Amino acid sequence: MANTEPVEDWCTDYDIFDPGYIRDPFPIWDQLRGECPIAHSDRWSGSWLPTRYSDIHAIAHDPGTFSSDEITVAPLEGGPADGVKAPPITSDPPEHTWARRLILPAFAPRAVEAYRDYTVALCGELIDGFIDRGRADAASEYAQQIPPRVIAHLLGVPPEMSDEFTEWVRGVLELGLTDPEIRMKYRAILMDFLWAQVNDRKANPRDDLITRLLQSEVDGEPVPDTHVVGTCNLILIAGIDTTWSSIGAALWHLAQHPEDRARLVAEPELIPVAVEELLRAYSPVTMARVVTTDTEVGGCPMKQGDRVLMSFPAANRDPEVFPDADKVIIDRARNRHVAFGVGIHRCAGSNLARMEMQIALESWLERIPDFRLADPDSVTWAGGQVRGPRECEVVFT
Amino acid sequence: MKMIINTELCQGHNRCYALAPDLVEIDDLGYASHKGDGTVPPGREEAAQLAADNCPEEAITIIAD
């Protein structure tokens, strides 16, 4: 099946890069949940697409049957030739267990508090840059600017690098998903950069995360350099367009919902609850798994080697679990969403992402309490692995 | 009332810690356990229930008196 033909039957031939699906996947998931509920497609190397919360929850809790060896939604033929992966997100137990313990301390709730002041100052400066203009692109001038700088700060590399980070990450994870040449080009740039950083820290140890990773030991042995490069690759790639997509989607929603804005302006203490609801409704991330042994999910037979797309965004719209799942209820109190995944691969950076989202919305609403989309039709979305707005011009009112 | 966190199931989402920080202990890796024997002080029952209802791993059990 060619990747470019229009989709006629979403149950048997879905296309995660279909422009309509990227812009508005919600009715398609509702249809699949009712009719399939696990869809299949031969496009983009072939995959299954479960859409029910219960199926996705069950798969995520069975890493023995559903491996994380290949997590991209549209994998490269043969995988990366340089042998560098992105542990622990690409690991299964037992490697996963120690690889995850290595990075968790840097992202625990207390640890991410250390980046709060930096993030507050950063959001303030970004708003200073456009507030007098009376309009801004909430995606490219704000949301997209925050995570790369926080991650640069955390990794201990110059903040001036953040625009390049953004370009590389989009090259690997967005534009490169459907274009292997672009993906390999940016992957090579990223690898050269990370190897240079690692070699620099080996010669000149500093008080930063890369140095700490290099100095870590597993079973009395130093962690291999390839592993450190892979983990830095993960932190850089996973921490950037995911979080900016969430911040951008939240502002896109608020631009169209004055009642939600008014509520959050009047009750800023509600922002953490609102962030969870916006994460649920506009979850950005879909991951993949590989079936290790013939199995069955919800009556659907899967064969060894099959790939499964873990659409956490679809799970979070399942009306079986979330009453009025298609509505944003800004103070939704019971919200067991899985935007950061669930099970052993729960996003290691979730505490950092939440902190960034909360500060980004607090800072924006404090100074720009009223705003609307300049033109709803001009908003553009990226999707596939990570869904979020890429251009989202708003006017301050 | 008691709020009991099953540390075998906890994956460190920290939803409980955000909703009921006074009832939850977080270790250096970000995993949660209940404070003390899990007894919920008067007036904190709703917070404990919310912590349980928001855990994506369903790792929290509420035991009513």
Side-chain angles (χ1 to χ4, degrees), chain A residues 274-355:
Chain A
V275 160
E276 300 304 331
E277 174 65 347
L278 293 163
L279 278 166
R280 179 194 70 83
Y282 306 112
S283 309
V285 181
T286 299
M287 302 297 290
R289 297 285 188 270
V290 185
V291 177
T292 60
T293 174
D294 292 3
T295 187
E296 201 181 284
V297 179
C300 171
M302 297 183 185
K303 292 228 171 308
Q304 182 181 2
D306 284 0
R307 298 183 326 110
V308 186
L309 304 187
M310 300 292 279
S311 180
F312 300 112
N316 284 337
R317 292 279 187 147
D318 187 344
E320 282 288 314
V321 179
F322 303 99
D324 289 320
D326 57 346
K327 286 200 184 72
V328 170
I329 299 171
I330 206 74
D331 61 353
R332 190 185 289 269
R334 288 176 166 75
N335 191 349
R336 230 189 268 278
H337 74 78
V338 290
F340 292 107
V342 69
I344 65 167
H345 287 284
R346 185 268 306 168
C347 169
S350 62
N351 297 302
L352 182 67
R354 286 194 163 98
M355 188 269 285

Side-chain angles (χ1 to χ4, degrees), chain A residues 144 204 216 231 283 305:
Chain A
Q144 201 177 106
N204 312 292
S216 303
T231 293
S283 309

Side-chain angles (χ1 to χ4, degrees), chain A residues 57 61 333-336 343 346, chain B residues 11-12 26 53-57:
Chain A
H57 207 269
H61 284 96
R334 288 176 166 75
N335 191 349
R336 230 189 268 278
R346 185 268 306 168
Chain B
Q11 293 293 349
I26 299 289
D53 290 347
N54 281 282
C55 176
E57 307 293 342

Side-chain angles (χ1 to χ4, degrees), chain A residues 29-339:
Chain A
W29 292 330
D30 287 345
Q31 182 206 334
L32 295 180
R33 224 181 274 110
E35 291 176 17
C36 294
I38 300 179
H40 187 271
S41 177
D42 288 332
R43 297 179 195 240
W44 308 107
S45 306
S47 58
W48 296 99
L49 179 68
T51 50
R52 285 194 303 212
Y53 185 96
S54 57
D55 290 334
I56 290 165
H57 207 269
I59 294 170
H61 284 96
D62 186 2
T65 310
F66 300 93
S67 165
S68 287
D69 190 49
E70 175 56 71
I71 50 163
T72 32
V73 295
L76 278 177
E77 203 68 38
D82 51 28
V84 176
K85 301 195 79 182
I89 206 170
T90 52
S91 314
D92 295 319
E95 178 190 75
H96 172 270
T97 311
W98 63 259
R100 186 168 171 87
R101 290 182 69 90
L102 217 54
I103 59 165
L104 282 181
F107 298 100
R110 271 185 297 273
V112 305
E113 279 305 303
Y115 306 111
R116 178 175 289 276
D117 291 349
Y118 176 84
T119 310
V120 170
L122 169 62
C123 291
E125 281 165 29
L126 292 169
I127 295 169
D128 287 344
F130 51 64
I131 191 161
D132 291 339
R133 212 193 304 152
R135 59 193 293 142
D137 190 316
S140 67
E141 289 184 274
Y142 189 65
Q144 201 177 106
Q145 301 299 321
I146 299 165
R149 284 174 177 76
V150 174
I151 292 289
H153 186 68
L154 180 142
L155 281 176
V157 301
E160 306 85 73
M161 297 273 326
S162 56
D163 285 342
E164 280 167 280
F165 282 178
T166 300
E167 188 189 336
W168 303 345
V169 171
R170 289 187 76 175
V172 173
L173 207 53
E174 185 182 320
L175 310 169
L177 267 190
T178 51
D179 186 333
E181 252 175 63
I182 292 182
R183 193 174 343 174
M184 290 319 290
K185 175 190 156 189
Y186 282 103
R187 182 176 167 88
I189 296 173
L190 195 55
M191 286 298 134
D192 286 348
F193 169 77
L194 291 174
W195 276 110
Q197 294 294 318
V198 163
N199 290 330
D200 171 61
R201 297 310 189 286
K202 290 178 83 167
N204 312 292
R206 293 186 225 162
D207 179 20
D208 66 14
L209 182 59
I210 301 178
T211 306
R212 278 197 295 281
L213 288 171
L214 283 166
Q215 291 171 347
S216 303
E217 290 189 354
V218 174
D219 298 332
E221 296 286 326
V223 175
D225 293 353
T226 317
H227 188 100
V228 174
V229 168
T231 293
C232 293
N233 178 36
L234 166 65
I235 292 171
L236 196 66
I237 291 190
I240 292 188
D241 68 343
T242 50
T243 311
W244 103 47
S245 293
S246 288
I247 297 170
L251 289 170
W252 173 81
H253 172 87
L254 291 173
Q256 301 169 86
H257 290 273
E259 70 289 2
D260 289 344
R261 283 200 310 269
R263 182 89 193 272
L264 296 181
V265 168
E267 299 169 60
E269 66 280 5
L270 195 62
I271 288 178
V273 173
V275 160
E276 300 304 331
E277 174 65 347
L278 293 163
L279 278 166
R280 179 194 70 83
Y282 306 112
S283 309
V285 181
T286 299
M287 302 297 290
R289 297 285 188 270
V290 185
V291 177
T292 60
T293 174
D294 292 3
T295 187
E296 201 181 284
V297 179
C300 171
M302 297 183 185
K303 292 228 171 308
Q304 182 181 2
D306 284 0
R307 298 183 326 110
V308 186
L309 304 187
M310 300 292 279
S311 180
F312 300 112
N316 284 337
R317 292 279 187 147
D318 187 344
E320 282 288 314
V321 179
F322 303 99
D324 289 320
D326 57 346
K327 286 200 184 72
V328 170
I329 299 171
I330 206 74
D331 61 353
R332 190 185 289 269
R334 288 176 166 75
N335 191 349
R336 230 189 268 278
H337 74 78
V338 290

